[in-house]
Amino acid sequence: MTRPPLSVVVADANLLPHRTTVESSTPPGTRFTWLERFDEDAVSDALPGSAVLVAPKFTPALTPAADALRLVHVAGAGLDGIDVDALPHGACVANTYHHEGSIAEHIVATSIVLRRQILHQDRALREGRWATPVYEPERAQLESLEGATVGFVGFGHIGRRTWKAFRALGARAHVVSRSGRVADGEREALDSVATLDGLDRLLEASDIVVLCLPLDENTHELIDADRLGRMRAGALLVNVSRGPVVAPGPLYEALRDSRIGGAVLDTWYSYPAGGSHARAAEQPFETLDNVIMTPHSSGVTAQTFQGRARDIAENITRLADGAPIERVVISR
């Protein structure tokens, strides 16, 4: 039996460059409405009769318009914007990843930049000063990643991919996660694997601490003043998880007072409500020279969204064909 074509609303600006990929990979006749961004009113106007919504959010205001909705597809891993109770019965939510490689690249690159003081050396040389122990003997020689100890707090897709990159450069690693387990074949390459009960020991042993675990009531401010105090004086903290996994005030103070070596901060405490301007935190992290600040962009590459576009198109096709949806994370 021939199925009627699906109507799809896409309200994610990150997918606009990949519109051709999505449309060419779905069944002929699929009807698309493309919105420049997620705007609740615009989505509500476009949603009636649509079986699929591709968007980072689903809010109660959209429920009355979701008269035919069967799939909400998030173009990423996070589900923070989905109000589960607002979803109509019979609808499901799927997500997609494809950011592990880009985020791993970001983590390793920024860790090297901080450990090797590349930004400091760049600024100094622009002023004519050669900030290296070759010309300023009072300076300590800097450390490469060979022999460095990396502590992973969370060891899912991102952690495993990042460990491969660090390992290739000669680093060693400790892991803590909720389950305290790693895949077969990975254990022998790691110095230790533990549940979150081993977090304090990991912090004390690591030169670089990489946070890549979800934010929930158990991980909110998991890294507090006490745990920041357990880190080594020269250690780096890399947060590609969610900002509130780390207590912002104690983090700022530890960096300001050089109680830890530095931080790579890609996830924040507040985000723009519209446009592209907003303070990322109440604390003035921008005044610190031992911090690399990026606007939650570690996974935002063309390769990431090309993969996500293909996954979304595949699930639209599956829905049209009556096949099971892949990567379902919520069902109503």
Side-chain angles (χ1 to χ4, degrees):
M1 182 178 68
T2 303
R3 296 178 181 272
L6 296 180
S7 291
V8 179
V9 177
V10 184
D12 189 320
N14 292 307
L15 290 171
L16 287 172
H18 309 287
R19 178 173 179 169
T20 300
T21 296
V22 174
E23 293 189 352
S24 65
S25 303
T26 49
T30 304
R31 297 189 293 267
F32 285 89
T33 299
W34 291 82
L35 304 176
E36 292 187 358
R37 59 186 176 85
F38 182 90
D39 175 88
E40 200 171 65
D41 291 338
V43 174
S44 184
D45 289 342
L47 198 55
S50 296
V52 181
L53 171 64
V54 181
K57 300 179 183 179
F58 190 88
T59 63
L62 301 180
T63 307
D67 55 358
L69 191 64
R70 298 166 62 192
L71 171 63
V72 177
H73 213 307
V74 178
L79 304 172
D80 308 28
I82 305 297
D83 187 323
V84 177
D85 293 334
L87 292 168
H89 288 287
C92 67
V93 179
N95 67 358
T96 177
Y97 296 89
H98 289 285
H99 53 207
E100 303 94 293
S102 296
I103 295 178
E105 182 179 277
H106 179 94
I107 292 169
V108 174
T110 52
S111 296
I112 292 171
V113 166
L114 275 182
R115 279 174 65 85
R116 299 286 295 273
Q117 297 183 8
I118 290 172
L119 295 179
H120 171 75
Q121 292 179 348
D122 173 84
R123 288 191 294 266
L125 194 56
R126 290 171 189 270
E127 298 172 355
R129 184 163 56 88
W130 294 58
T132 164
V134 173
Y135 296 97
E136 296 182 348
E138 69 276 12
R139 290 184 173 276
Q141 293 179 344
L142 301 174
E143 299 279 353
S144 74
L145 286 177
E146 185 173 0
T149 298
V150 183
F152 289 95
V153 185
F155 202 63
H157 299 276
I158 296 168
R160 292 195 299 271
R161 184 68 174 268
T162 305
W163 166 227
K164 289 181 181 179
F166 272 123
R167 186 183 180 191
L169 293 170
R172 51 198 300 180
H174 299 280
V175 167
V176 299
S177 65
R178 298 182 207 234
S179 68
R181 297 190 299 271
V182 296
D184 293 342
E186 290 180 334
R187 178 64 184 85
E188 66 273 13
L190 298 164
D191 283 14
S192 70
V193 178
T195 66
L196 289 176
D197 290 340
L199 177 57
D200 290 349
R201 292 189 297 276
L202 178 146
L203 295 173
E204 292 164 359
S206 299
D207 300 303
I208 303 169
V209 176
V210 179
L211 305 178
C212 45
L213 76 171
L215 174 66
D216 59 28
E217 59 184 10
N218 297 314
T219 61
H220 183 265
E221 297 194 357
L222 178 71
I223 308 299
D224 55 13
D226 176 70
R227 285 184 163 139
L228 287 164
R230 293 179 180 274
M231 292 179 61
R232 296 179 175 183
L236 305 183
L237 182 70
V238 180
N239 189 6
V240 294
S241 177
R242 289 291 186 266
V245 169
V246 187
L251 174 60
Y252 171 76
E253 292 167 6
L255 291 163
R256 180 196 62 194
D257 300 340
S258 298
R259 296 200 300 270
I260 63 174
V264 174
L265 304 178
D266 185 53
T267 54
W268 292 97
Y269 304 93
S270 58
Y271 285 75
S276 60
H277 287 76
R279 285 188 58 81
E282 293 182 4
Q283 295 75 16
F285 287 97
E286 68 277 4
T287 65
L288 304 176
D289 62 7
N290 56 350
V291 178
I292 292 179
M293 302 173 60
T294 51
H296 206 153
S297 59
S298 61
V300 182
T301 64
Q303 288 77 10
T304 292
F305 283 95
Q306 286 164 1
R308 291 177 178 181
R310 291 191 294 268
D311 279 354
I312 290 166
E314 178 189 2
N315 267 343
I316 293 170
T317 301
R318 285 178 167 272
L319 185 64
D321 292 343
I325 302 300
E326 299 284 350
R327 298 170 301 279
V328 171
V329 286
I330 299 170
S331 296
R332 287 282 283 166

